[in-house]
Amino acid sequence: MEKTWRWFGAKDIITLDMLRQIGVEGIVTALYDVPPGEVWASEAIYSLKDHIEQAGLHWSVVESLPLAEEIKYGAPERDRLIENYKASLSNLGKAGIKTICYNFMPAIDWVRTDLHRKLPDGTYTLYFDKIRFACFDCMILQREGAEKDYTTEELEKVRLLYNRMTEDEKAVLIDTIIVKTQGFIHRSISDGKTDPVQAFKKLLQLYKGVSKIQLRVNLKYFLERVIPVAEEYGITLCIHPDDPPFPVFGLPRIVTGEEDIEWILDAVDSPANGLAFCTGSLSAGIHNDVPALACRFAGRTGFAHLRSTGLLPGGDFIEASHLEGKGALIEVIRILEKQRPHIPMRVDHGRLMLDDVEKNHNPGYSFYGRMFALAQVEGIMAVVQDEIESGKC
Ligand code: DNO
């Protein structure tokens, strides 16, 4: 697979020159300044593409070409927004960028409750703590009916936690769940001037009455219109699994495991309708056997995100080392290297280690931590290559 790296544009303190030195081959990036729903203009695409090429690299993957919420909850304006999406796709296609990642998570992208969980070796990782999450949901957000989603025992723990939390700790939890993890990936709740909890409540309101079935219907409506454009340009549009792959905030989730993925790929049965195989997101679902999913869907996988998680008692999960955990990267890499040797893959997330700790990296997107993980993944890839060449697998 091609070794790619998520790079956040010219303002990223991790420069393209640094990436060349650590063996990165392709860049995963986006026009981060364009709000979801607006057209990505050809000039802006070419300018970023040239900038990347001048550094001796190439723009391999767009992550993400984000969808306006209106497309997801099915507002009347969606047709105009889908036309804009099609225009962006064709501008990308004309510029030769053929792998495009997106997601269909309503209102909130990935969810974590702790961005600095200290490990025994002194490094830090990302963490999802179910009780801290429930505490935000029930006590801070005060979502209507939230209590129904938790057991009596969990709610008791939530109350105890809330009562001993300081105002500063509450502010950090809010910032972690709906601001810091969202702002850098095109989300609306990134403006420090607005009240994030109120803004998030409004966003949730948009999905009132949108069931899982309706959300699927809205995805199909979108795919039926955009996939023909992707086909015309040889683009693979790759849907990213929900992170985590279970319902949060009472919102429907439609990319959580085998049945969902099968449904999506069948909804518009075209190679242009593909999957971003994220071992990390999928592994956080107790119901998922990640290598089995890789076997099943390798043929429609256009992009891979490699990381792993460990599931813990009580519904928590931790982002594990890339060599451990339920992501089973050794097996998944063996499957993908055999069946999809040319697709781009990127190491997803990394620990905070060494000089990373002082830097203000986007959550999960450290330099040394990701470089370390890339080296681990490269090692696995080299062993698998050897197995394939020598006929051992
Ligand atoms: C966070 C990621 C997300 C994901 C996008 C894909 O690190 O899980 O940013 O890549 O949602 O569309």
Side-chain angles (χ1 to χ4, degrees):
M1 290 178 279
E2 184 191 32
K3 289 177 281 176
T4 66
W5 180 279
R6 191 175 200 179
W7 176 72
F8 294 99
K11 62 177 187 307
D12 196 330
I13 57 168
I14 302 166
T15 63
L16 295 171
D17 289 341
M18 289 160 77
L19 297 183
R20 281 192 59 198
Q21 291 191 31
I22 63 167
V24 168
E25 296 160 341
I27 294 299
V28 177
T29 193
L31 296 183
Y32 285 103
D33 296 334
V34 182
E38 284 183 23
V39 177
W40 285 22
S42 286
E43 303 72 51
I45 295 170
Y46 276 107
S47 147
L48 185 56
K49 187 172 181 266
D50 289 347
H51 181 81
I52 294 168
E53 285 170 2
Q54 272 161 26
L57 289 159
H58 82 115
W59 187 352
S60 177
V61 181
V62 167
E63 182 179 355
S64 292
L65 181 57
L67 274 77
E69 293 295 335
E70 288 84 348
I71 299 177
K72 292 186 261 177
Y73 69 86
E77 317 80 289
R78 73 174 155 177
D79 289 327
R80 178 183 61 81
L81 295 162
I82 291 175
E83 285 310 312
N84 286 355
Y85 203 94
K86 285 159 66 177
S88 299
L89 275 182
S90 74
N91 289 345
L92 286 164
K94 284 177 201 149
I97 301 160
K98 309 283 185 183
T99 307
I100 295 174
C101 178
Y102 72 105
N103 71 70
F104 214 78
M105 286 179 258
I108 187 160
D109 202 298
W110 61 313
V111 184
R112 297 293 181 277
T113 57
D114 193 343
L115 306 179
H116 301 100
R117 178 59 67 117
K118 200 166 187 176
L119 297 171
D121 62 8
T123 61
Y124 300 85
T125 192
L126 304 169
Y127 195 92
F128 177 87
D129 180 314
K130 186 165 184 197
I131 300 303
R132 280 167 67 75
F133 178 76
C135 185
F136 172 77
D137 194 10
C138 302
M139 312 301 277
I140 298 175
L141 186 64
Q142 297 181 0
R143 179 173 63 86
E144 205 188 311
E147 286 76 15
K148 285 204 302 292
D149 293 349
Y150 308 99
T151 63
T152 321
E153 204 190 336
E154 284 167 346
L155 291 172
E156 185 48 33
K157 287 186 185 159
V158 164
R159 266 184 289 277
L160 289 173
L161 172 65
Y162 186 72
N163 289 340
R164 61 162 203 268
M165 269 177 111
T166 64
E167 289 310 307
D168 281 354
E169 284 167 344
K170 288 176 198 163
V172 169
L173 190 59
I174 295 170
D175 202 42
T176 300
I177 298 181
I178 56 174
V179 183
K180 270 214 174 63
T181 44
Q182 308 304 306
F184 75 99
I185 40 173
H186 316 276
R187 286 300 154 141
S188 35
I189 309 177
S190 52
D191 183 357
K193 280 178 261 161
T194 56
D195 175 346
V197 174
Q198 283 315 316
F200 187 58
K201 272 190 168 162
K202 273 199 200 141
L203 208 49
L204 287 182
Q205 218 32 44
L206 300 173
Y207 287 89
K208 219 174 167 175
V210 179
S211 63
K212 175 166 181 169
I213 293 175
Q214 188 58 49
L215 195 65
R216 276 187 168 179
V217 168
N218 295 350
L219 172 59
K220 188 168 182 186
Y221 185 94
F222 165 75
L223 288 173
E224 280 168 347
R225 283 152 186 81
V226 299
I227 291 299
V229 181
E231 282 171 341
E232 191 183 330
Y233 291 96
I235 288 172
T236 313
L237 201 56
C238 303
I239 194 162
H240 187 281
D242 300 331
D243 180 5
F246 47 78
V248 287
F249 299 119
L251 294 162
R253 296 286 228 186
I254 58 168
V255 202
T256 63
E258 186 169 11
E259 197 259 334
D260 283 342
I261 297 171
E262 191 177 357
W263 187 91
I264 293 164
L265 300 180
D266 287 350
V268 177
D269 191 10
S270 157
N273 178 25
L275 177 66
F277 196 89
C278 178
T279 50
S281 303
L282 292 167
S283 68
I286 197 154
H287 52 288
N288 284 330
D289 173 340
V290 183
L293 293 174
C295 267
R296 176 96 204 260
F297 299 116
R300 295 285 285 273
T301 294
F303 180 32
H305 280 184
L306 300 178
R307 69 175 168 85
S308 189
T309 62
L311 304 191
L312 301 167
D316 293 8
F317 67 83
I318 188 163
E319 294 214 7
S321 142
H322 288 65
L323 295 180
E324 293 165 355
K326 207 164 161 285
L329 293 197
I330 298 175
E331 268 182 275
V332 170
I333 290 171
R334 199 175 271 132
I335 294 159
L336 294 179
E337 281 286 37
K338 273 167 97 177
Q339 297 192 43
R340 307 294 284 166
H342 303 299
I343 63 166
M345 72 79 190
R346 72 171 176 85
V347 161
D348 195 18
H349 301 173
R351 284 184 275 158
L352 274 184
M353 62 199 302
L354 309 168
D355 270 8
D356 288 335
V357 180
E358 307 299 320
K359 303 267 165 41
N360 199 18
H361 293 302
N362 290 327
Y365 293 91
S366 57
F367 180 62
Y368 289 106
R370 274 192 292 165
M371 179 172 94
F372 185 78
L374 177 59
Q376 293 176 317
V377 163
E378 268 188 308
I380 302 174
M381 284 166 66
V383 171
V384 167
Q385 289 295 341
D386 181 61
E387 286 174 357
I388 294 171
E389 277 158 30
S390 60
K392 279 186 241 149
C393 87

